[in-house]
Amino acid sequence: MKNLWIILCASFILTACGGTGTSSSPISSGLGKFSMDFKTMNSKTDVKKDFEVKKGVVTPLAINLDSKPIIRYMIDLTDFEYDANSSAKPNNEKQTWIEISLFGDSGGTVDTPLRTGTFELSDSGASVGDKFSKVSNVKVAIFKDGKTEETSLAYKAKGTVKINAVSGDTVTGEVDLTQENGGKIKGNFTAQMKKK
């Protein structure tokens, strides 16, 4: 009876602590996940992978497009840690980088918060006035054969980027794009505004 009591207590403690410690599910960062299936533009390398966001940074940039001011929000998402003041580009074959570029609203400045809502893809040949509140680009970079390869998944594509919430310095959103050739990227993210 005493041994049965010890076994029951041990089982209860293991269950309360989350099992036996042999769980096969990885610890999630909670910053989002993506699935990707596309061919790179230059080498036509097949990229089929799931991507777990480990770091997300949003940087608002004031730029000139056709000599007119516009704000571009750069959302860098990586499955590796990096210094937000340096390059987020991958430097080994285990690393991947996603960059989402969104144009801000007319009259916005670098201090204007990124707004919530759905951003449609911008036509690359559109005038500046037609680019406000649109997706500028969604790029993915992988490391292959000793170099970084970047691919635009917004090229000849349909879909949207949604910004679901902006709370203080935290931005959450989702991406769902499909290219004419079948390439896809879909997922969700949480990112922090870059500190000035």
Side-chain angles (χ1 to χ4, degrees):
M1 185 71 162
K2 185 176 179 183
N3 288 341
L4 180 61
W5 176 250
I6 291 171
I7 291 170
L8 287 173
C9 286
S11 296
F12 176 75
I13 290 169
L14 285 173
T15 302
C17 293
T20 62
T22 59
S23 172
S24 61
S25 61
I27 296 172
S28 173
S29 68
L31 297 180
K33 291 186 178 180
F34 280 80
S35 62
M36 295 179 275
D37 184 354
F38 64 92
K39 290 184 183 294
T40 59
M41 294 180 93
N42 295 334
S43 66
K44 303 297 183 189
T45 301
D46 282 321
V47 177
K48 293 183 183 181
K49 70 184 301 183
D50 292 328
F51 170 102
E52 184 170 337
V53 181
K54 290 191 178 172
K55 185 165 186 129
V57 177
V58 182
T59 306
L61 299 172
I63 64 169
N64 284 314
L65 199 60
D66 298 334
S67 302
K68 296 180 182 176
I70 192 168
I71 301 301
R72 181 183 278 167
Y73 296 91
M74 310 297 288
I75 305 171
D76 291 302
L77 307 171
T78 60
D79 56 2
F80 57 92
E81 287 292 330
Y82 72 96
D83 179 351
N85 293 313
S86 62
S87 174
K89 301 290 174 72
N91 59 24
N92 68 58
E93 293 190 5
K94 293 181 180 178
Q95 297 180 344
T96 308
W97 165 72
I98 298 172
E99 180 187 74
I100 303 163
S101 305
L102 304 175
F103 288 124
D105 295 331
S106 176
T109 70
V110 291
D111 296 317
T112 304
L114 178 58
R115 70 168 180 82
T116 59
T118 299
F119 290 73
E120 303 283 342
L121 289 168
S122 171
D123 180 357
S124 60
S127 66
V128 176
D130 292 330
K131 290 183 180 287
F132 290 117
S133 305
K134 301 274 189 179
V135 178
S136 169
N137 202 356
V138 176
K139 290 192 294 190
V140 174
I142 62 168
F143 196 83
K144 184 78 174 172
D145 298 328
K147 64 183 186 299
T148 301
E149 286 189 38
E150 292 184 12
T151 298
S152 170
L153 290 168
Y155 179 69
K156 293 187 177 179
K158 292 183 179 179
T160 59
V161 173
K162 293 181 183 176
I163 301 301
N164 296 324
V166 178
S167 177
D169 289 337
T170 303
V171 175
T172 60
E174 56 191 275
V175 177
D176 188 356
L177 298 180
T178 302
Q179 294 181 304
E180 286 180 2
N181 64 7
K184 294 179 183 178
I185 182 169
K186 184 172 184 176
N188 60 80
F189 64 87
T190 297
Q192 299 297 313
M193 294 297 293
K194 186 174 180 180
K195 301 207 183 307
K196 298 177 182 176

